[in-house]
Structure formats: structure tokens, C-alpha cells
Amino acid sequence: MDWNAHRREAHSLGRVQEFLRQIVYGGNDGIVTTFAIVAGFAGAAAEGVAQIGGLAVLVFGLANLFADGVSMGLGEFLSARSEHDLYFSRRAMEMREIVDNPEQEREELFTILCQRGLPPGEADAVTDILLRHPEMMADLMMTYEFGMQDPAEENPAINGLFTFSSFLVFGSVPLIPYFLMDPTETTFRWSLFATFAALTALGLLRGNATEEKVLRAVGETVLVGAVCAGVAFFVGWVVGG
């Protein structure tokens, strides 16, 4: 059975839910790091910075957007590949332990099942059954003993692509006013508003996907972005002032 298709059709699990971690991670980082460029230049009040402000914001902003976006996407790809390698390496070791030392593994599984709520008699019966199916037992041990989920259905390249795309789409929002207007204090205010709107949209997307309270989803997302933007503005003000 194609479980990805089953989850989408039977449980209404869409692409947003499936790649929510990559979308939120890439989108939030894209908004914050790109606006950090804008806030840094706005905070720097030196005359030279003011003269080249608009061009500087666009040049550094776009360079940051694409360089960090590629870095984020490749980082997500390498991270997912590493998780794959670690999982299957650990699972192969677990299979060898089941074959070489079945009594020790039986005791561990029995303890796990009891801790998960099975009565000792039922846990003992289930353990005996699973010992006759080492592949299934190894999968169970990977989940409950090591806290690791089978990553076989994840595609590291797709994960990286979603992270990169989310970074690019959301991260471009703070720069839009500088494409449309001359670099003035009003332009910075529009960029600030656009950043707030992008963070709010990302929070709403997160809340819709997870069905958590909208106030919490939006509030956390905006708060994280506001803290990072404030730090960037303060550093620019200190250095430039």
C-alpha cells in the first residue's frame, strides 16, 4: 500500500502537513535573516550608509536570500541523509543483537511493553510472538528503545527543495518595498509591515496545518521574528551610530 497516498486521501494529510517542518523552518529563517539585512541598514544611521541604502539593501538582501536559501536547502538534504544513514546503521546493529543475544533483547522488549501499559502476561506473549519476527521486532525496538522513526518514506532531496522554496518565497517579502519605492524611512516602515504580514501568514499556515490555537501559532512565530529583527536593528544602530 502507498501509505503517503493513503494518508492524503483517507486522513486529509496534505503537502503542507507533510512538509510542515521544512516550510516553517525555511520560511521563518528566510523572513528573519532577510529582514535582518533591512533592519541592520535602517539601524545604521551613518551618512555613507544612507546614501547607498536602497542599493545596499537589495544587493545584500538578495545575496543573502539566495546564498542562505541554497545553504538551508542543502543543509536539510544532508541532515535527512544523515538521519537515514544513522537509522539503518543502528537498525542493522539491532538485528545482529536480536540474533546473537535473543534473551537480552527479549528482556528489553518485555520491559518496554510493560512500561507502555501492557499487563505482564500479555507483554510476555507479545514478546514471544515478536521474537519469531525479528524484522518487526527491530522496527519496534528502534521506535521505543531509541526513539527513532523509520525515515524510508522521506525523500531528502524533496525535503531540501521545500526548505529552499519556503526560504525564498517568505524571505523575499521584506525586500519588496525596496523594489517598489525609494529608500526612505517610509520604505523601511513598509518593509517592517511586510515582514509582520509574512510572519503572520506563516503562523496562520502553521496553525491551519496543526489545528492548534491561532493566537499561539501566530504569536510564537511573530515573537521569534520580532526578537531577531530587534537584535539586527540594535546591532546596526550601535555599529552605524
Side-chain angles (χ1 to χ4, degrees):
M1 177 181 287
D2 185 342
W3 289 106
N4 283 331
H6 170 75
R7 285 190 287 267
R8 286 193 293 270
E9 294 169 4
H11 302 287
S12 301
L13 181 67
R15 289 292 185 182
V16 173
Q17 288 92 344
E18 191 174 348
F19 295 99
L20 182 63
R21 179 173 66 89
Q22 289 79 16
I23 293 172
V24 172
Y25 178 49
N28 184 78
D29 201 61
I31 295 168
V32 168
T33 56
T34 304
F35 183 72
I37 300 293
V38 176
F41 277 101
E47 182 179 351
V49 173
Q51 291 174 350
I52 63 169
L55 178 61
V57 168
L58 291 177
V59 169
F60 283 95
L62 289 174
N64 171 82
L65 186 66
F66 283 93
D68 275 8
V70 171
S71 176
M72 290 277 292
L74 292 178
E76 175 65 28
F77 170 76
L78 292 175
S79 175
R81 284 289 296 270
S82 298
E83 287 182 6
H84 277 223
D85 294 342
L86 178 61
Y87 179 90
F88 291 112
S89 172
R90 180 63 258 185
R91 188 181 183 280
M93 189 179 299
E94 185 67 21
M95 284 292 297
R96 289 194 297 270
E97 291 175 356
I98 292 173
V99 173
D100 296 339
N101 195 357
E103 285 304 314
Q104 174 66 29
E105 294 301 307
R106 185 191 190 285
E107 183 179 342
E108 291 179 1
L109 179 58
F110 174 79
T111 302
I112 288 172
L113 293 175
C114 288
Q115 290 178 342
R116 302 294 296 184
L118 282 183
E122 294 182 13
D124 191 62
V126 172
T127 300
D128 286 336
I129 293 172
L130 288 173
L131 273 172
R132 297 196 296 270
H133 304 276
E135 293 281 347
M136 187 179 296
M137 181 176 175
D139 289 339
L140 195 71
M141 296 296 281
M142 290 300 296
T143 298
Y144 291 130
E145 184 179 6
F146 298 102
M148 301 175 68
Q149 300 296 322
D150 187 353
E153 294 182 358
E154 290 191 3
N155 188 321
I158 298 298
N159 287 356
L161 181 61
F162 267 86
T163 301
F164 169 75
S165 300
S166 182
F167 187 99
L168 218 61
V169 170
F170 284 98
S172 63
V173 173
L175 296 177
I176 292 176
Y178 287 88
F179 280 104
L180 304 177
M181 305 166 64
D182 292 329
T184 64
E185 186 176 341
T186 300
T187 308
F188 172 69
R189 289 175 181 171
W190 275 109
S191 179
L192 181 63
F193 175 79
T195 299
F196 176 80
L199 288 168
T200 301
L202 187 63
L204 289 172
L205 184 66
R206 170 188 160 190
N208 182 66
T210 61
E211 297 184 354
E212 63 181 302
K213 292 182 178 179
V214 173
L215 184 61
R216 176 190 171 188
V218 174
E220 287 181 351
T221 306
V222 172
L223 179 61
V224 169
V227 169
C228 296
V231 170
F233 185 87
F234 176 75
V235 171
W237 176 75
V238 171
V239 175

